[in-house]
Amino acid sequence: MTTVTPDGSPTGKVEILEEAVIRFAGDSGDGMQLTGNQFSDSAALFGNDLATFPDFPAEIRAPIGTLAGVSAFQVRISSNDIHTPGHLLDVLVAMNPAALKVHLPDLKHGGILLVNTGNFGKRDWEKAGYTSNPLEDETIVEPYHLVQVDLNHLTKETLKDTNLDNKAIMRCKNFAALGILLWMFNRDLEPTIRAIKERFGKKAPEIADANVAVLVAGRNYAETVELLDHTFQVDQAELEPGIYRNIMGNQATGLGLLAASKLTGVQLFLGSYPITPASDILHQLSSYKQDGVITFQAEDEIAAICSTVGAAYAGMLAVTTTSGPGVALKTEALGLGVMAELPFVVVNVQRGGPSTGLPTKTEQADLYQAIWGRNGECPLPVLAAASPVDCFYMAIEAFRIATKYMTPVLLLTDGYLANGSEPWKLPKIEDLPKFEVHFETNPEGFQPYKRDPETLARPWVRPGTKGMQHRIGGLEKEDGSGNVSYDSENHFHMVKTRQAKVMGIAKDIPAPELHGDSEGDLLVLGWGSTYGSIYGAVDKARKEGFKVSQLHLRHVFPLPEGVDKILAGFKRILVPEMNMGQLTNYMKTQISADYISYPKVTGKPFYNDEVLRKIREVLA
Amino acid sequence: MTATQDSPKGKLKKTFFKSDQEVRWCPGCGDYGILNAVQSTFAELGLERENIVIVSGIGCSSRFPYYMETYGFHSIHGRAPAVATGVKLSRPELEVWVITGDGDALSIGGNHLIHTLRRNVGLKIILFNNRIYGLTKGQFSPTSEIGKVTKSSPYGSVDMPFNPLSLALGVGATFVARTIDVMGKHMREVLKAAHEHEGTAFIEVFQDCNIFNHGAFDPIVKKEVRDDRLVDLRPNQPLVFGQDHDKGLIWDCNQLRVVKLGEADETGKVWKEEDLVVFDPSNPNPSLAFALSHLREVDEPTPIGVLRSIKQASYEKMVHGQIQGIQDKKGERSLEDLIYAGKTWEVK
Ligand code: SF4
């Protein structure tokens, strides 16, 4: 923990921290996601900047108390502007021995380890693979500030006079932990109590009351026994004034897709098949019925994209959402989209691969697939969101490009963005990007492949428009008329035209923002979810005196104009990415420069300090 | 393409639906008959060209949309029902027809077909069954008979075929029919019934591929034998067939059995028309239709006409009904409402 002078705090018992990284870990049934979210909300309301990241077990219901069943939620709260949920922990809450075993390696030496001793019986620690009680093992807990509370007992005692059965009572114990944490960080309980009542109040008022009682009991207990000799304070961050809400990447994507529909007045259609970690977008859009969104849960990934192609043909803003293995199945239909020149969006929430891979872990290894993974010459624009909030803006951007250029667009996010959250300064509606969708209705001189001379886009015609009946399909066609053509010169012409159309988008997208000076020894080049990790690292490195800057790509293919000029300002280009060097190799085909690939493929995001170390190493 | 001729009901010619593209099927192919029947039916129904979308997959039959002066989409192999579902869900007011073949619908696209049928999406699906792969030049298909010698089965196919009608009935299709490429009038009647149906209409057409499987249906459809080999299903009529209307089907020992009318059988019973099964395609119970679909082609009559036609809300109607209901109750939200939703806080 970074300690700042306590600043003459009246009691002398409050330590002021710039920031803190806290992880709640327990069994999947222990409610750790809810606890973590509640803690984050209270930090947000207080005015901290924050970033969160959940760590779900791959198993849906692994046996209770086992390592496979551990679920965790991490939040970093700060009085500074931050972009990642952090790495090493200041506080670890371990609800059982399995959670301790899985997460203890990430706790800083000297960090606070709050354990629920109620779940540390012999059977519990045996299940986690310990041969003796870890809490009594000096070699395990010695480096940390161990705080032991029997949360089970505390919860039972608090609720002994209620009518709840034992199971229901035990389900409240996470709120005892939350009460302790809120005390530890000097947070007001009121917003959390309100949130509990909102969440449970209507359907199960007795559960709401129980949770509140246990929350208060946890706080009171900590205060009474002075669980720590001092508490902590993380001050408000200097955030830009405005209205904020906390948002996860998938949520932002779903909202962005709907926003595009609201901005254009064209109805939204989603064809999708459930797949981790993309399903939440399907869930969200399925709840938008009142906004006229049509969602179609298809029989498979192929039908999901094919229905999307059909909807685009029918004149909808059409999108399909999936993850890497799903994109593999959608590949042929993507080719059809390119050939038929229809506007739709494919969202790939990337996960660990290949094959089924690591469904709940994050990775960025589908870039080759996105840019080059189709049969034939099949270019289409590839975008990548840089942060959870950016997913919102990139979803709108994807539809803007798709409809303006009559092309499928691939939008890449990943598991880290999808489930991670950050505060979003809500935009004014009038500041949102405006774009118009044009449907051709004039039969005079109409041809299905007559192109706009500037964008090379063909007209979009809604079936039902009189006098404009026409046929399209996957066969090569004559430019203009759209009639099937096997002519070799025409094929070459069409291949070049489709390529030129997509490459022409480079003129119509913003140059990426450079973070730092425009000249230096090193440029750290990234794309997608590594933005925050690189940002923090570059910031620190610059403070250390290194001549390093950051460039982040949100439009990956085609590259925006001017990237070559930016790269030319630096001696070397470091490319951290969660794959074996896909952007690096792609960049080599586009702009020659001295690239250094920095791969990490562990299912986990980059941490600031990893990137920082690499920068130091390269510039040493 | 720019013709904007009006389409007063009943006065249209089938050429109204002919596109300017040259039809490229092999001379003598059964597809011509189907194209003709569809164009005539659309004309007879007085449909608006711009309100029709024809979606196809891949295969000889799937060239169909190019020959129709309507909106058309020649998609990818097996996926036409999925593409068409996207169109129909987006725009329920459009008349959406799917053209497919035995390889396209039953092999590579089997999954989409069964799910489209069970959902009852308002698509009219015409399956051109020629029991062979034509476009890839002659391999056995999922409807080729056991023992069929083709390029990919030089020693005879050991691939058990399935019956498209049994399949459709099995997955809960609400409209199932069969007709034959050379029986234009019959086909037009079936097509009209399909047009009237709410939800998915599934029509199998026996279609002769005169290049790779010529005469596959001759034993049952040739003019001379047809009356004795086909039983034309008429709603609420006894199951009679034969050149002289002298044969019929009875329900015996849990299956259909052929009897000769007016003649005593081995037990001495003389069968009369009132002993025969009366067929009602609107019966929600599919058992009898299923039994009909399973009649042996070699020695029992092959059913044609409508095997099943039941009332059930179409998928798109349910989807849009649900949306409408929720909109009526909750009202649409502005973008501002949506973005500024949830727990928000203000930084000053
Ligand atoms: S190959 Fe057979 S099915 Fe195909 S067009 Fe020729 S005759 Fe018709």
Side-chain angles (χ1 to χ4, degrees):
Chain A
M1 278 179 220
T2 329
T3 311
V4 175
T5 336
D7 198 24
S9 147
T11 64
K13 285 186 172 178
V14 178
E15 183 181 357
I16 296 177
L17 307 175
E18 272 184 28
E19 62 168 57
V21 181
I22 298 142
R23 191 182 293 169
F24 298 87
D27 203 66
S28 359
D30 283 344
M32 292 296 97
Q33 303 303 323
L34 177 61
T35 314
N37 272 312
Q38 293 293 355
F39 185 83
S40 309
D41 285 349
S42 86
L45 283 180
F46 178 78
N48 295 135
D49 196 5
L50 71 142
T52 76
F53 189 62
D55 185 4
F56 306 112
E59 267 60 61
I60 301 300
R61 288 276 182 273
I64 291 177
T66 58
L67 300 177
V70 175
S71 167
F73 185 97
Q74 180 164 325
V75 54
R76 178 182 178 200
I77 57 175
S78 177
S79 50
N80 297 320
D81 177 26
I82 56 163
H83 298 94
T84 68
H87 177 200
L88 292 178
L89 310 172
D90 298 300
V91 181
L92 172 64
V93 178
M95 298 296 281
N96 66 15
L100 181 77
K101 184 149 200 182
V102 174
H103 294 289
L104 195 58
D106 291 338
L107 184 59
K108 277 180 195 166
H109 282 199
I112 292 170
L113 173 61
L114 173 67
V115 295
N116 174 17
T117 55
N119 279 345
F120 272 73
K122 183 161 187 286
R123 283 197 42 204
D124 299 315
W125 46 255
E126 274 179 356
K127 248 194 252 174
Y130 287 111
T131 50
S132 64
N133 187 344
L135 302 181
E136 287 159 12
D137 187 338
E138 288 277 296
T139 62
I140 294 177
V141 295
E142 208 264 340
Y144 312 105
H145 185 151
L146 178 63
V147 180
Q148 308 191 51
V149 183
D150 187 343
L151 298 175
N152 293 10
H153 179 74
L154 182 72
T155 306
K156 265 188 230 161
E157 276 302 302
T158 309
L159 300 179
K160 65 173 188 283
D161 295 330
T162 62
N163 292 328
L164 298 177
D165 61 20
N166 192 47
K167 217 169 143 194
I169 288 178
M170 288 322 289
R171 255 196 236 123
C172 299
K173 64 177 182 291
N174 53 328
F175 283 94
L178 182 58
I180 294 173
L181 263 286
L182 291 174
W183 165 79
M184 203 182 280
F185 285 89
N186 282 291
R187 293 287 145 91
D188 189 4
L189 294 193
E190 256 330 293
T192 310
I193 292 173
R194 241 179 293 133
I196 293 172
K197 287 195 170 148
E198 257 168 48
R199 193 186 163 93
F200 299 100
K202 267 205 196 115
K203 277 192 194 143
E206 66 287 354
I207 300 287
D209 292 345
N211 283 332
V212 169
V214 172
L215 177 84
V216 174
R219 197 271 312 266
N220 291 349
Y221 171 79
E223 199 172 63
T224 313
V225 306
E226 293 190 10
L227 209 50
L228 298 171
D229 60 10
H230 65 282
T231 55
F232 304 101
Q233 184 173 320
V234 176
D235 285 331
Q236 290 174 327
E238 274 182 38
L239 296 170
E240 271 178 61
I243 309 282
Y244 283 75
R245 76 185 266 200
N246 214 25
I247 195 152
M248 296 200 294
N250 268 350
Q251 237 183 326
T253 305
L255 204 50
L257 296 169
L258 180 57
S261 160
K262 296 265 179 192
L263 290 166
T264 54
V266 182
Q267 206 176 354
L268 183 64
F269 176 98
L270 169 73
S272 188
Y273 184 76
I275 185 170
T276 303
S279 305
D280 281 338
I281 306 175
L282 166 65
H283 305 163
Q284 184 185 355
L285 293 185
S286 302
S287 75
Y288 285 164
K289 293 267 177 311
Q290 74 184 99
D291 303 295
V293 178
I294 298 177
T295 52
F296 173 55
Q297 182 175 313
E299 57 272 22
D300 57 28
E301 293 281 358
I302 298 172
I305 188 168
C306 285
S307 62
T308 302
V309 170
Y313 175 69
M316 309 282 280
L317 279 194
V319 57
T320 181
T321 50
T322 186
S323 186
V327 176
L329 285 164
K330 293 179 192 298
T331 301
E332 189 193 10
L334 263 175
L336 175 65
V338 168
M339 203 65 167
E341 303 191 38
L342 284 171
F344 59 92
V345 174
V346 179
V347 179
N348 175 359
V349 187
Q350 299 165 94
R351 65 189 216 186
S355 186
T356 311
L358 298 171
T360 59
K361 304 291 177 203
T362 194
E363 207 162 285
Q364 296 182 293
D366 298 346
L367 187 63
Y368 288 166
Q369 182 197 43
I371 301 177
W372 292 310
R374 289 166 295 281
N375 67 305
E377 292 292 341
C378 198
L380 53 80
V382 179
L383 314 182
S387 69
V389 167
D390 194 39
C391 291
F392 173 81
Y393 297 100
M394 291 316 272
I396 298 177
E397 174 70 348
F399 267 132
R400 181 189 74 88
I401 293 176
T403 52
K404 181 163 176 189
Y405 293 88
M406 290 296 280
T407 176
V409 173
L410 253 166
L411 171 58
L412 300 176
T413 71
D414 61 32
Y416 178 55
L417 295 179
N419 294 316
S421 81
E422 62 180 355
W424 176 24
K425 179 172 179 267
L426 301 177
K428 290 213 179 73
I429 303 305
E430 57 270 25
D431 294 342
L432 287 175
K434 291 263 151 14
F435 68 99
E436 268 173 29
V437 166
H438 176 70
F439 292 107
E440 189 57 63
T441 53
N442 181 6
E444 217 51 63
F446 164 71
Q447 286 194 311
Y449 277 77
K450 190 168 151 189
R451 297 173 188 282
D452 178 296
E454 198 192 316
T455 61
L456 298 181
R458 73 177 192 89
W460 195 7
V461 181
R462 294 173 88 233
T465 312
K466 210 171 175 69
M468 297 177 81
Q469 297 87 259
H470 64 280
R471 276 65 55 188
I472 59 167
L475 282 172
E476 185 60 283
K477 46 198 55 64
E478 187 182 72
D479 209 2
S481 76
N483 290 335
V484 173
S485 164
Y486 299 110
D487 180 84
S488 49
E489 282 314 309
N490 174 70
H491 176 53
F492 197 13
H493 165 75
M494 288 298 272
V495 164
K496 286 189 285 192
T497 305
R498 287 186 288 261
Q499 177 87 13
K501 179 176 83 166
V502 171
M503 297 319 286
I505 297 169
K507 298 193 293 277
D508 190 21
I509 50 184
E513 238 173 80
L514 188 67
H515 168 214
D517 300 321
S518 57
E519 278 177 16
D521 297 328
L522 187 69
L523 179 73
V524 188
L525 178 69
W527 68 282
S529 72
T530 52
Y531 173 76
S533 318
I534 297 174
Y535 189 96
V538 166
D539 233 23
K540 281 194 190 148
R542 290 175 62 80
K543 283 185 189 137
E544 290 175 15
F546 290 107
K547 291 201 169 95
V548 52
S549 301
Q550 174 189 22
L551 189 72
H552 208 77
L553 300 173
R554 296 156 77 232
H555 296 85
V556 185
F557 185 87
L559 287 172
E561 281 186 341
V563 172
D564 49 347
K565 290 201 190 75
I566 300 176
L567 262 53
F570 297 86
K571 290 193 185 125
R572 282 188 286 174
I573 318 291
L574 176 67
V575 190
E577 48 184 334
M578 296 186 284
N579 60 54
M580 291 305 286
Q582 298 191 9
L583 183 72
T584 317
N585 288 333
Y586 160 65
M587 287 303 294
K588 286 178 185 167
T589 69
Q590 304 289 309
I591 300 166
S592 79
D594 186 1
Y595 297 102
I596 308 163
S597 174
Y598 178 32
K600 176 180 179 184
V601 198
T602 61
K604 289 188 175 153
F606 275 99
Y607 303 119
N608 287 337
D609 38 355
E610 285 173 327
V611 181
L612 180 60
R613 269 200 303 275
K614 188 70 187 178
I615 293 172
R616 290 191 194 124
E617 181 196 311
V618 170
L619 294 179
Chain B
M1 200 146 321
T2 50
T4 48
Q5 188 181 335
D6 284 323
S7 51
K9 200 164 174 142
K11 286 186 199 151
L12 294 177
K13 291 215 177 74
K14 71 179 186 199
T15 49
F16 186 65
F17 290 96
K18 252 174 113 142
S19 79
D20 59 358
Q21 298 295 295
E22 181 197 347
V23 184
R24 296 232 185 123
W25 288 309
C26 307
C29 175
D31 292 0
Y32 286 93
I34 308 174
L35 179 62
N36 246 312
V38 171
Q39 288 169 338
S40 306
T41 307
F42 285 3
E44 283 167 37
L45 289 168
L47 301 181
E48 309 276 359
R49 297 189 292 200
E50 65 272 15
N51 288 339
I52 302 170
V53 179
I54 302 181
V55 184
S56 64
I58 294 293
C60 291
S61 58
S62 288
R63 297 300 176 89
F64 197 98
Y66 293 119
Y67 309 139
M68 294 290 295
E69 188 49 49
T70 62
Y71 283 89
F73 198 162
H74 179 209
S75 77
I76 44 178
H77 206 10
R79 318 302 171 201
V83 173
T85 295
V87 176
K88 188 72 184 173
L89 263 186
S90 304
R91 306 278 306 283
E93 76 277 17
L94 296 172
E95 171 99 20
V96 186
W97 289 69
V98 170
I99 304 294
T100 183
D102 40 323
D104 194 57
L106 301 173
S107 197
I108 194 167
N111 201 32
H112 309 306
L113 180 71
I114 61 174
H115 289 281
T116 302
L117 292 173
R118 80 169 163 82
R119 288 189 190 107
N120 201 31
V121 187
L123 309 175
K124 315 303 161 201
I125 303 175
I126 310 180
L127 187 150
F128 293 33
N129 184 6
N130 55 18
R131 298 188 176 165
I132 197 80
Y133 283 105
L135 194 65
T136 51
K137 301 199 171 73
Q139 300 82 12
F140 63 90
S141 90
T143 53
S144 299
E145 63 278 13
I146 284 275
K148 176 119 202 137
V149 174
T150 71
K151 281 189 187 141
S152 58
S153 57
Y155 300 103
S157 165
V158 294
D159 230 61
M160 196 64 187
F162 59 27
N163 177 321
L165 298 188
S166 308
L167 177 89
L169 291 165
V171 298
T174 56
F175 181 100
V176 179
R178 177 188 278 151
T179 182
I180 292 167
D181 57 359
V182 290
M183 294 173 64
K185 184 163 171 285
H186 186 268
M187 199 181 331
R188 292 197 299 276
E189 275 174 31
V190 167
L191 294 175
K192 270 184 218 156
H195 165 79
E196 303 299 335
H197 181 72
E198 174 176 353
T200 318
F202 177 78
I203 307 149
E204 179 193 21
V205 185
F206 283 166
Q207 173 244 325
D208 188 52
C209 167
N210 69 327
I211 302 295
F212 297 107
N213 203 13
H214 185 44
F217 300 101
D218 278 0
I220 51 172
V221 305
K222 264 204 144 23
K223 269 225 166 73
E224 313 82 80
V225 297
R226 166 181 311 175
D227 288 344
D228 284 322
R229 301 306 317 280
L230 301 175
V231 53
D232 190 6
L233 310 175
R234 297 281 153 188
N236 301 313
Q237 298 294 315
L239 294 171
V240 180
F241 67 104
Q243 222 151 33
D244 307 317
H245 296 272
D246 56 344
K247 285 179 279 224
L249 289 161
I250 59 156
W251 190 253
D252 179 39
C253 294
N254 296 319
Q255 61 181 355
L256 291 166
R257 186 158 71 83
V258 178
V259 294
K260 205 129 192 318
L261 294 177
E263 267 178 33
D265 66 6
E266 59 271 27
T267 66
K269 170 145 175 94
V270 180
W271 295 97
K272 294 198 275 313
E273 226 182 83
E274 47 274 34
D275 298 321
L276 301 180
V277 172
V278 174
F279 179 65
D280 175 13
S282 69
N283 187 346
N285 184 329
S287 304
L288 188 56
F290 197 71
L292 279 165
S293 76
H294 264 270
L295 286 169
R296 283 186 306 266
E297 198 169 293
V298 279
D299 58 356
E300 291 176 328
T302 295
I304 60 169
V306 180
L307 275 85
R308 182 169 172 81
S309 175
I310 60 159
K311 277 204 180 351
Q312 187 184 307
S314 70
Y315 182 63
E316 65 275 10
K317 200 178 202 176
M318 311 237 297
V319 166
H320 286 270
Q322 189 178 50
I323 290 174
Q324 193 59 56
I326 295 167
Q327 282 187 326
D328 289 348
K329 214 165 102 193
K330 298 186 168 178
E332 234 180 280
R333 292 171 289 190
S334 70
L335 185 50
E336 185 148 14
D337 293 343
L338 280 153
I339 291 177
Y340 286 74
K343 269 174 248 149
T344 57
W345 69 93
E346 189 173 3
V347 173
K348 290 193 180 137

